[in-house]
Amino acid sequence: MARHTSFQVGGPAEAFVTPATVSDLSMLISGLNAREIPYRILGGGTNLIVRDNGIPGVVIRLQQCCRGISIESSNSAQTALTAMSGENLQKLCVFAMRRGFQGLNFALGIPGTVGGAIRMNAGTALGWISDVLESVVVLDPSGRMNTIPRADLRVAYRSMAFPDTCNAPGNVIISGRFVLKAGDACAVKSEARKILQQRRHRQPTTLPSAGCIFKNPPTGKTAGELIDLAGLKGYKVGGAETSLKHANFIVNTGRATASDILMIMAQVRRIVYEKFQVSLEPEVIIEGE
Ligand code: EPU
């Protein structure tokens, strides 16, 4: 999985499948369900730590079967777009930005796929995916496609839950429909340049990482501030270290293992708790044995 995660660490999946079409995907998940074989959907692998011993069961990659961005409807006020879940989130942002559609610039520079961004309700201080999402199409293991309107999604900081009827863990996000406001293409582009510059200035963008490691606590100082104030910038274990640029990032300086990263996370949590009595919760998903 080191080849499929932005951290570039992690042991193998028991099986790794890239279905060619949505109908192949549908057959695959109904077969796996019928045989009670565990599976998980891989987005861009950009918010994921796979442990060094790998993942049991089947990992399914959607980048081939769920591709494409299309304009569904457009008028002088707004445009509705459908983006397939395996599509790159940056491609969607650039698609919108070039046409002067407003509302997705906040996501510029967030790595990963559209499906991953929906599942995690990706966001920054400038906005969240849930702000522009109108509905989500989900495939269930019986092969049924369900369209879930925005009003039925329970959105929160870094999470998006579906109604109970569509919330089975085996369900797969196929696409999202986004509604964006009409804007001036030059203004949208110049805002985009500023957002990307700020990101490069504040965050380590050249070394492998999984973005912010911990969620920001609901009140008080951010995770980055707490880790920084605890004196933990540049804290190293093996080939991993907390970034000198942004304390809430762990970067892989070349030969890190998942254990190195998990060890840093445990130490950071312990030291921040001892100093500030704040319990940091991981934002990244940790998988494997
Ligand atoms: N700060 C420090 N030391 C650091 C890093 C930050 O003191 O090492 C301080 C900054 O000076 C600032 C405050 O912490 O006063 C907040 O920093 P920043 O603006 O970088 O925002 P953040 O809360 O650390 C959040 C998201 C990021 C998102 C940025 C920009 C979380 C956990 N993080 O970071 O999301 O890109 O805002 O909007 O919500 C991610 O989810 O992977 C991610 C990177």
Side-chain angles (χ1 to χ4, degrees):
M1 291 302 295
R3 285 166 47 208
H4 299 285
T5 56
S6 59
F7 247 139
Q8 299 177 12
V9 301
E14 209 173 338
F16 189 91
V17 185
T18 305
T21 62
V22 172
S23 110
D24 287 352
L25 170 69
S26 179
M27 274 192 295
L28 174 67
I29 65 165
S30 55
L32 292 172
N33 265 283
R35 291 166 184 79
E36 296 183 7
I37 297 171
Y39 60 91
R40 79 171 319 282
I41 304 298
L42 180 69
T46 55
N47 206 36
L48 177 66
I49 300 173
V50 175
R51 291 181 202 271
D52 297 314
N53 288 336
I55 307 183
V58 181
V59 172
I60 304 172
R61 189 171 178 268
L62 305 181
Q63 272 87 334
Q64 209 169 316
C65 59
C66 295
R67 286 201 84 104
I69 299 169
S70 51
I71 297 179
E72 300 290 335
S73 65
S74 194
N75 60 34
S76 56
Q78 62 179 43
T79 295
L81 296 177
T82 291
M84 300 298 285
S85 57
E87 202 52 83
N88 190 303
L89 179 63
Q90 289 315 287
K91 197 168 154 195
L92 174 63
C93 294
V94 170
F95 182 98
M97 187 252 292
R98 291 217 171 115
R99 289 163 178 80
F101 304 154
Q102 275 178 3
L104 273 169
N105 268 354
F106 78 87
L108 279 162
I110 300 181
T113 60
V114 169
I118 293 173
R119 180 68 79 183
M120 297 298 299
N121 195 13
T124 71
L126 301 175
W128 292 357
I129 281 290
S130 53
D131 298 338
V132 284
L133 189 66
E134 192 191 59
S135 59
V136 182
V137 174
V138 172
L139 172 71
D140 74 20
S142 71
R144 212 177 20 236
M145 293 279 187
N146 298 297
T147 301
I148 309 170
R150 166 73 173 77
D152 290 353
L153 297 166
R154 288 192 301 278
V155 302
Y157 170 65
R158 297 295 188 272
S159 84
M160 177 124 33
F162 300 149
D164 289 342
T165 46
C166 303
N167 214 17
N171 283 357
V172 182
I173 297 174
I174 297 296
S175 65
R177 185 179 158 103
F178 299 88
V179 174
L180 304 174
K181 290 204 186 86
D184 169 61
C186 286
V188 176
K189 279 183 199 165
S190 101
E191 181 194 59
R193 263 193 299 275
K194 275 190 213 133
I195 288 172
L196 282 169
Q197 261 166 15
Q198 275 184 359
R199 182 175 276 271
R200 276 193 288 269
H201 179 67
R202 287 196 193 147
Q203 299 180 356
T205 50
T206 53
L207 286 171
S209 80
C212 285
I213 285 285
F214 296 103
K215 292 180 185 169
N216 280 338
T219 54
K221 293 191 167 51
T222 64
E225 283 174 286
L226 291 168
I227 301 167
D228 193 347
L229 288 169
L232 291 167
K233 269 187 163 171
Y235 184 94
K236 290 188 184 60
V237 173
E241 67 180 67
T242 53
S243 165
L244 292 168
K245 206 164 181 183
H246 195 303
N248 195 18
F249 279 64
I250 296 176
V251 289
N252 178 354
T253 57
R255 292 181 319 279
T257 60
S259 308
D260 295 341
I261 295 163
L262 293 170
M263 184 87 78
I264 294 186
M265 288 175 68
Q267 291 290 66
V268 164
R269 286 192 80 190
R270 184 180 62 76
I271 296 168
V272 166
Y273 190 79
E274 277 169 13
K275 294 208 170 186
F276 306 109
Q277 289 73 55
V278 176
S279 187
L280 292 177
E281 292 307 320
E283 178 184 306
V284 287
I285 292 168
I286 301 163
E287 292 263 343
E289 296 173 328

